[in-house]
């Protein structure tokens, strides 16, 4: 039971982080921004010990936020801010990645995270989301080059075979 508690605590922290994003809460006050920053710092610190769990949770949040329906200028701003917060948190977690992650864990979170990041890099114009996604991809490839390279190579091969048909 003692080994289960840390996982539950990390899940609770990830849920709290998601619940306090601008896309969920609307207009942010100074106090709510401080709460988001504190949760972000906690996730970054926890990722040093429960890296795969934190990265998987942040990837799921990024995917969930990306599928939300947005109506109105304020909702669009909150959507954009939420994505920035999530990408920045991912970037900082990846920069502090522990060296003891297994190849299986690396392959798993690269497989989950890479498609979510690529959607931002495909933007035609330069914007902060694209720049931050590029930083996340760079940090991901620094520690997991083989896994990232294999995923990109497989995707290129798949695209090339479709072009031949």
């Amino acid at each position: 039971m003692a080994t289960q508690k840390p996982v539950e605590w990390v899940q609770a922290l990830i849920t709290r982080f998601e619940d306090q994003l601008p896309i969920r809460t609307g207009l942010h006050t100074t106090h709510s921004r401080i709460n988001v920053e504190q949760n972000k710092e906690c996730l970054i610190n926890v990722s040093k010990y429960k890296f795969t769990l934190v990265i998987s949770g942040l990837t799921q949040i990024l995917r969930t936020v990306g599928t939300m329906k947005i109506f109105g200028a304020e909702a669009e701003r909150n959507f954009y801010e939420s994505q920035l917060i999530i990408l920045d948190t991912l970037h900082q977690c990846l920069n502090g990645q522990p060296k003891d992650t297994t190849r299986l864990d690396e392959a798993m979170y690269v497989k989950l995270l890479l498609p979510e990041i690529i959607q931002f890099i495909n933007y035609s114009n330069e914007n902060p989301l694209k720049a931050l996604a590029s930083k996340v991809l760079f940090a991901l490839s620094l520690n997991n080059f083989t896994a990232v390279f294999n995923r990109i190579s497989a995707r290129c091969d798949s695209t090339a075979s479709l072009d031949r048909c």
Side-chain angles (χ1 to χ4, degrees), residues 94-105:
L94 287 166
N95 279 338
Q97 177 181 354
K99 301 298 179 207
D100 62 346
T101 54
T102 66
R103 292 283 178 221
L104 182 61
D105 285 343

Side-chain angles (χ1 to χ4, degrees), residues 17 30 57 62 65 81 105 119 146 155:
F17 177 80
T30 304
L62 190 61
V65 168
E81 269 188 53
D105 285 343
Q119 69 181 340
T146 303
R155 186 63 174 201

Side-chain angles (χ1 to χ4, degrees), residues 3 55-56 61 71 84 91-92 109-110 131 150:
T3 59
I55 295 298
S56 297
I61 293 171
F71 301 104
L84 283 174
H91 176 245
Q92 290 185 43
Y109 69 77
V110 167
N150 289 342

Side-chain angles (χ1 to χ4, degrees), residues 9 11-12 14 21 38 41-42 47 52 58 63 77-78 82-83 95-96 106 122 127-128 137 139-140:
W9 292 335
Q11 284 301 111
I14 290 169
L21 288 171
Q38 286 175 339
E41 290 302 318
C42 285
S47 74
T52 303
L58 289 171
R63 182 179 297 129
R77 183 177 50 82
N78 292 335
S82 295
Q83 289 177 318
N95 279 338
E106 288 176 7
N122 285 336
N127 68 39
L137 181 59
L140 185 64

Side-chain angles (χ1 to χ4, degrees), residues 55 105-115 140 144 147-149 151:
I55 295 298
D105 285 343
E106 288 176 7
M108 190 253 332
Y109 69 77
V110 167
K111 181 180 180 179
L112 295 173
L113 184 56
L114 204 54
L140 185 64
N144 312 291
V148 171
F149 182 78
R151 293 287 301 167

Side-chain angles (χ1 to χ4, degrees), residues 27-38:
L27 186 61
H28 263 199
T29 63
T30 304
H31 184 66
S32 62
R33 286 183 198 277
I34 291 170
N35 283 342
V36 168
E37 283 302 314
Q38 286 175 339

Side-chain angles (χ1 to χ4, degrees), residues 1-12 50 53:
M1 183 162 156
T3 59
Q4 283 296 89
K5 282 292 184 196
V7 173
E8 292 172 15
W9 292 335
V10 173
Q11 284 301 111
K50 295 289 183 185
L53 189 58

